[in-house]
Amino acid sequence: MVALKKRITKFYVSLGHQYMPFANVATTDLSLSRLLRLSLFQVSVGMTLVLLVGTLNRVMIVELGVPATVVGVMVALPLLFAPFRALVGFKSDTHRCELGWRRVPFIYRGTLLQFGGFAIMPFAILVLAGQGEAQSAPAWLGYVSAAAAFLLAGAGAHIVQTAGLALATDLAEPEAHPQLVGLMYSMMLLSMIASALIFGYALSDFSPARLIQVIQSAAVICLVLNAIAVWKQEARSHLHRPSATAADPSFQEAWAHFCQAPHTVRRLTIICLGTMAFSMSEVLLEPYGGEILNWSVANTTKLTALLALGGLLGLSFASHALRPGYDPLRLALFGALIGVPALALVILAAPLQFDGAFLIGNFMLGFGAALFGHATLTATMNEAPKEKHGLAVGAWGAVQATAAGLAMALGSMIRDLFNVIRDANETVSTALQGAGGYMTVYSIEIILLLATVALTLPVIRRMAGASGPDPIAPNRLTGSHRSFRSGTKASVNHGAP
Amino acid sequence: MAYETQTADLDDPDRIWPTGLTIRESEELHKHVIDGSRVFFLISLIAHILVYVLSPWSF
């Protein structure tokens, strides 16, 4: 009887750990509350992304009448900073200061840039739109100030995210990396959903004064969230003080060493192609629903909800699936493979006029993209040389953000180019005239996903072949242990240069 | 690990009252405060110029 009571107690106590989202990421040294607090930097980054790419994009075009081309350039400006994420990560790895911190100074500077960008942004946008007395001001003032505001806020978000993710990787045990990635990704996704709804509601009764209130509130919220996120998180270490004797490599040396790890360049290529495949149609799904399937605006918002739901379920699934010993690249492959039928369903929805196919396709796209993003970031974290997490996470972020931005721009350009050709050429089939541009983009995405699969399979086979009978045997090439297939061994992977 | 590092730091004889920081640490912290103030000043200056362009005020 006592044994039975013990078993029942053990069962329901374990339920919380098993089913409470991301509860298994916490350890005795790193509590869940501390991790949730750290993940607040992702909330500020998600809020920044929504404001820059979504809300202000719409406000500038619809409410303020700024030409779409100018808005497109402004929104794309933060993308210019994305490739520098690898450098930011490297600098934070090798940063020396008397206080013994590596990540906190970068999060502090990134936050200042985020705050500064948002602080001047509403005035810059209003001057750009020629509101008030700004009509008599020189046009360059609006362009320069708006460009500076977007660049500052975007660069700040990139720096905060890179240093923040590197700090999270430093703090968590290697075997908890999959759950950590899931938690960080989920917080950003939830923040983006909540921010989109709140900003939409706050700006529904639009006025210039309301715009100033909303954006400057976002500036203060970013500052507060980032400060709470990093408070007492990073330990001060003698190793990171100027008096430390170890010499730091240059960026070129560190990058060369990073690329020497097995399949690094191929993995970065996989991240680039896969991200492009999942991002190219991101801004085209809603117009496709409205223009081709004749959905109302209210119905097309369901797509965003479905994408987000698929994303959250994908992150949760990936966190569970990536147990120690499971190769993250297998999951990335699975994510890419889900994307192919998802896009096929989206394409078929137009000729069949079958809304269900479009909805299921959207859900699967969100699910597949979440699996792919989660798995590639986890693989990068596990492969990162000890004490060099910043460079690895920065390289992942640089490739991912640049690929996503380029893909979104390319997607719109390809659709518009197709429409121009279609208008010039009367012989194109009339049946799919409207959908042709969209279908071209979706088809390119399928090709990109197949290319991702083709690149991923050989890496998985080689890693599986190299694993041999002893999964922790030292790798002959690097003299390090193979962490790729085992999260538990990641901590001894690739000695620092 | 964090606790051990910071406990060991407290034994440093160069730490001064009341902050518990060494001179170098306090100088670095001060540098961050000064840098932050400069950034805030620059931001507020730009914001004021833009507000003036948008809606000029008279003295």
Side-chain angles (χ1 to χ4, degrees), chain A residues 228-439:
Chain A
I228 295 172
V230 295
W231 182 255
K232 286 188 175 179
Q233 296 279 10
E234 187 177 14
R236 293 172 56 196
S237 169
H238 289 294
L239 298 171
H240 307 137
R241 294 189 171 174
S243 54
T245 49
D248 287 317
S250 66
F251 177 67
Q252 285 80 3
E253 287 167 347
W255 182 256
H257 184 269
F258 174 67
C259 291
Q260 272 173 8
H263 317 300
T264 300
V265 177
R266 187 180 275 252
R267 275 190 295 118
L268 291 177
T269 315
I270 290 167
I271 294 167
C272 175
L273 290 180
T275 308
M276 283 186 85
F278 279 114
S279 308
M280 201 174 266
S281 63
E282 211 164 275
V283 289
L284 297 181
L285 287 170
E286 288 207 24
Y288 181 71
E291 202 179 322
I292 310 301
L293 299 174
N294 302 317
W295 283 18
S296 65
V297 177
N299 271 339
T300 54
T301 53
K302 281 183 195 167
L303 296 176
T304 314
L306 263 177
L307 266 175
L309 181 68
L312 284 173
L313 286 176
L315 292 173
S316 182
F317 177 77
S319 300
H320 267 279
L322 287 172
R323 300 274 178 210
Y326 191 87
D327 186 351
L329 271 193
R330 282 181 189 274
L331 197 68
L333 178 77
F334 184 47
L337 285 173
I338 287 178
V340 177
L343 286 162
L345 282 172
V346 171
I347 290 174
L348 285 173
L352 299 177
Q353 285 293 308
F354 179 41
D355 293 352
F358 189 43
L359 288 171
I360 296 167
N362 266 279
F363 175 80
M364 285 170 69
L365 270 179
F367 191 82
L371 289 191
F372 185 82
H374 188 304
T376 50
L377 181 54
T378 305
T380 308
M381 281 181 169
N382 286 348
E383 275 295 287
K386 203 165 184 289
E387 293 289 308
K388 302 292 170 198
H389 293 137
L391 177 62
V393 169
W396 175 87
V399 173
Q400 199 262 355
T402 310
L406 280 177
M408 277 191 252
L410 274 175
S412 303
M413 280 163 60
I414 291 168
R415 181 201 56 178
D416 294 344
L417 189 68
F418 184 92
N419 289 346
V420 170
I421 295 169
R422 179 200 64 192
D423 293 341
N425 189 354
E426 296 294 325
T427 58
V428 175
S429 161
T430 51
L432 297 174
Q433 261 191 359
Y438 294 101
M439 288 188 176

Side-chain angles (χ1 to χ4, degrees), chain A residues 97-98 108 116 133 236 238, chain B residues 5 9 25 28 32 43 54:
Chain A
C97 69
E98 285 296 337
Y108 171 69
E133 305 291 319
R236 293 172 56 196
H238 289 294
Chain B
T5 307
D9 282 343
E25 285 172 356
E28 187 169 289
H32 284 303
I43 290 165
L54 200 65

